[in-house]
Amino acid sequence: MTEFSRRVEAVSISGIREVFEAAGEDAINLGLGQPDFPTPDHAREAAVDAIRAGKADAYTSNKGTQELREAIAEKHARDNDLDVDPADVIATSGGSEALHIALEAHVDAGQEVIFPDPGFVSYDALTNLAGGTPKPVGLREDLTLAPEAVENAITDDTAAFIVNSPANPTGAVQSPADMREFARIAEEHDVLCLSDEVYEHQVFEGEHRSPAEFTDSGNVVVVNACSKAYSMTGWRLGWVTGASDRIERMLRVHQYAQACASAPAQYAAEAALTGPQEPVVEMREAFERRRDVLLEGLAEMGLECPTPKGAFYAMPKVPDGWVDAVIDRGVVVVPGEAFGAGGEGYARISYATDMETLEEAIDIMAAATEAVR
């Protein structure tokens, strides 16, 4: 029998999915990283119009339609003060594929990839799939990633380090000073800084800044997507942008793995990026209100939780048995260790659900807290 590859054997099914499988059908799901809002109408209609006009029947350019890539470039100018050439953009099948092709294009067998711990589950898995060596680094008390921790972890074998702000699973937002430091580190050490900015529009305190703003070395690659900003997780439309030589190498991976992103999704994304932005603001304001209610509830339970300044996650410290007690009572939360060894003793709670459901879940979590004390 043909053996399985060592790369795949090093990867397990996501701990998040394991929690979903274990939960009952009627459980309240606070484990899902998906906005509970509809995709904006103008984005949906653009896809329907493209389908009816026959514009979505064929492959697009490997990089994506020219119009979408121009819209992405305009978005970066508007939101990030970045001058992006549409030729240096690849539309991908969600932010997940963007991360995948970035690591595949830059990591050789045995090379190290530094990333936050706890951090997004894909960082470790995608590093292994690229044949690299995961090198997680712990976080500060406020769950942000310290630039000095990244710099101290760099060796001659380091290929890349990943920055994620606002962050999944912590909701932490890196300061502009941190982002400037990450850009400096990438430049001085000549390693890739892979900046995952998928949650950039969900910032409640502070501001989102990209490390790409602070360097022209070409050592920063930015990953983003329509998934969280426009509630388009199911559309699977993300992108990656960076220096031309890096884009050319990532395109080599993308064209064989994916050929091109879904054509209907590309037309929807173009409309989302260029159309009214009020839905983005409405979602952010709703998430902030929910965050405040959740933080108040956790405080009343006596659970310590660093204030999440962005995204739609909170990561409180929890007593032993808390996660199981909550799940047994019908609320899905994710154990912190699903996001790395640094997550032990924490739980991730997503508040991407309506206020009534969230308040019901808080009551259940309070009862579980009492039970395990």
Side-chain angles (χ1 to χ4, degrees):
M1 175 181 170
T2 302
E3 296 294 328
F4 299 109
S5 74
R6 287 190 295 272
R7 297 187 310 281
V8 170
E9 290 296 273
V11 175
S12 59
I13 298 297
S14 164
I16 302 173
R17 294 296 167 187
E18 290 179 353
V19 170
F20 292 164
E21 294 295 330
E25 292 183 4
D26 297 328
I28 296 174
N29 194 338
L30 300 187
L32 194 61
Q34 175 170 281
D36 62 316
F37 295 87
T39 299
D41 286 341
H42 59 278
R44 290 176 170 180
E45 290 165 4
V48 171
D49 290 346
I51 291 169
R52 286 177 173 160
K55 296 164 65 178
D57 292 347
Y59 295 121
T60 71
S61 161
N62 288 141
K63 290 182 178 179
T65 67
Q66 180 69 22
E67 294 80 7
L68 172 59
R69 288 182 285 118
E70 288 174 354
I72 291 169
E74 290 168 7
K75 168 259 174 295
H76 281 294
R78 177 185 72 217
D79 298 339
N80 312 109
D81 197 26
L82 289 176
D83 183 12
V84 172
D85 187 335
D88 291 333
V89 174
I90 302 173
T92 60
S93 182
S96 298
E97 194 220 344
L99 289 168
H100 179 55
I101 66 174
L103 291 172
E104 287 287 344
H106 290 96
V107 180
D108 266 328
Q111 286 191 308
E112 299 167 346
V113 177
I114 298 165
F115 52 81
D117 179 13
F120 182 41
V121 293
S122 290
Y123 302 151
D124 184 281
L126 292 177
T127 297
N128 278 306
L129 289 176
T133 300
K135 196 167 186 179
V137 298
L139 305 179
R140 297 168 170 142
E141 281 297 311
D142 66 355
L143 301 183
T144 57
L145 178 65
E148 58 268 26
V150 171
E151 192 161 26
N152 290 337
I154 290 175
T155 70
D156 291 341
D157 294 324
T158 302
F161 64 91
I162 300 175
V163 176
N164 177 211
S165 178
N168 177 7
T170 64
V173 175
Q174 301 288 153
S175 70
D178 283 347
M179 291 306 210
R180 186 183 294 275
E181 276 294 282
F182 290 133
R184 177 194 62 78
I185 290 166
E187 185 170 348
E188 290 188 6
H189 292 270
D190 196 25
V191 297
L192 176 69
C193 172
L194 182 55
S195 184
D196 180 350
E197 303 180 15
V198 168
Y199 292 91
E200 72 164 307
H201 290 295
Q202 282 83 37
V203 175
F204 319 129
E205 300 175 33
E207 60 178 321
H208 170 75
R209 300 293 294 274
S210 172
E213 298 176 46
F214 302 112
T215 180
D216 57 5
S217 68
N219 281 352
V220 176
V221 163
V222 174
V223 165
N224 211 321
C226 289
S227 301
K228 314 299 183 177
Y230 301 100
S231 194
M232 294 177 65
T233 54
W235 294 84
R236 309 312 303 133
L237 198 290
W239 67 87
V240 61
T241 185
S244 299
D245 56 346
R246 297 189 186 280
I247 289 294
E248 197 276 336
R249 269 64 172 190
M250 287 185 276
L251 185 63
R252 298 181 193 181
V253 183
H254 171 71
Q255 68 178 357
Y256 292 114
Q258 195 67 29
C260 65
S262 160
Q266 291 189 53
Y267 290 104
E270 178 191 344
L273 290 164
T274 60
Q277 299 301 298
E278 286 82 1
V280 177
V281 176
E282 291 169 3
M283 280 191 279
R284 179 171 63 245
E285 291 175 347
F287 290 140
E288 184 173 7
R289 289 192 296 271
R290 297 172 188 178
R291 178 202 68 164
D292 293 344
V293 168
L294 176 60
L295 288 178
E296 181 179 352
L298 293 172
E300 290 177 356
M301 297 175 214
L303 298 180
E304 180 185 344
C305 183
T307 299
K309 297 182 178 180
F312 37 72
Y313 307 108
M315 206 163 186
K317 293 181 180 178
V318 297
D320 289 345
W322 189 88
V323 170
D324 288 340
V326 170
I327 292 174
D328 287 345
R329 286 166 172 78
V331 174
V332 177
V333 296
V334 184
E337 56 265 31
F339 303 95
E344 186 175 357
Y346 291 83
R348 191 193 75 170
I349 301 170
S350 169
Y351 45 91
T353 190
D354 65 271
M355 190 69 83
E356 181 180 355
T357 302
L358 181 62
E359 289 174 339
E360 180 183 353
I362 290 170
D363 289 341
I364 294 171
M365 288 188 287
T369 304
E370 285 296 317
V372 298
R373 280 191 169 144

